[in-house]
Amino acid sequence: MKRKRAATLRIMAVMASAMLGSSFYIFTTYAATIRHGVAAAVHAENGFGPGYVTVSEEAQTSAASGDTTSTYAVNDHKTVNANAASESSIDNVASLSTTDTINDAYKTVVTTTSEIGNDKTVTDFDGSYDYTTPVKSDDEAWADLQKAPAGGGNKGGWGNSYSGANSIPLGNIDEATMHTYSGYSRSSDTTSKVIYLTFDEGYENGYTPTFLDVLKKHGIHGTFFVTGSYLKSQPDLVKRMVAEGHIVGNHTMKHPSMATITTHEAFWNQLKSNSDLFYQTTGYQMPRFYRPPEGSVSTAQLQEAQAMGYRTILWSVAHLDWNVKKQPSRETALATLNRRIHPGAIVLLHCVSSTNASILDELLTGWEQQGYTFSTLDKIS
């Protein structure tokens, strides 16, 4: 009893501290499994950098499958009861957590939102990617970049050839060679039915909220590659991507053809200025995943990206979806994507596509029915 009371007091103290100095907060509590116990990542939108509240081992309690308890997920088989938070005397807090059913994997889902005052937003991460993952320092990245070869990308762009339906495609560069330089068009595991969803964001065409809603419906996390212009024009959508646990990757500052980027300085500026803008927008360091515009890549640029701490992400499944004036029909898009899907695929979809927005739910449902599961790029090998 004393231990439970101590854990409750710690949670209440954190909540009270977060409210000081402002009058509006929205508390969104997401069940998330994080490496060393429970971590509620509290991030004020108008501040920089994440703050963490870690619930100690003594506060952890076991929960059997099917229990209905308001909880944060801890590791794979433990939970922390958060009910006491809603019983506190903090004014205007209807509830800081919900009563959810713990599934067979002992993980909880979804949450509620409560308003306090009218000033800031405090958000817990819902999802997969841990935005506190350390990244390579600028000094180290710049020093290592000088040791890499410099050179433009392939003017023809990235492409895949397929030997048959659902076959493992061959790309412009041998996959094993790309992996040597932290480059991927697919996973090296081509037997497990795992898919990695990625989305390119050069500009907003009104469909990204639909993409995010569908991903949330399916409980899937993906990677959104954003440009500098997208960050400038759509900061709220980028913050939503972060808050919902998606990876936000680097699609360069100005989306040039990488065939024209032939010096270390030019390569550095395209990636570094975009990652700086992401930090200014979200308060977090940009995850080190990079997609070259137009798929223009070379072994030299693979090595440059690797030197800066990035993985270069291409794709093994895509279709002609980027031209908003010449969109494929639903039937054509679904047929092409279903014919090309394969185990270990990195899927590229453009969020400017009205067709993609209309088929995504059906597409994901079909792949799930075929036995595919979804993972994120930080877990690819």
Side-chain angles (χ1 to χ4, degrees), residues 362-373:
E362 181 180 349
L363 184 70
L364 299 183
T365 298
W367 287 346
E368 288 167 339
Q369 290 172 349
Q370 294 175 49
Y372 283 100
T373 59

Side-chain angles (χ1 to χ4, degrees), residues 4-55:
K4 290 182 179 179
R5 182 173 298 173
T8 299
L9 289 174
R10 276 193 292 275
I11 293 172
M12 290 172 60
V14 169
M15 301 297 183
S17 174
M19 287 185 287
L20 290 176
S22 76
S23 57
F24 180 85
Y25 287 80
I26 297 175
F27 283 87
T28 308
T29 308
Y30 292 100
T33 302
I34 299 182
R35 269 193 292 265
H36 301 295
V38 173
V42 181
H43 169 223
E45 284 192 341
N46 64 345
F48 290 121
Y52 274 83
V53 179
T54 300
V55 180

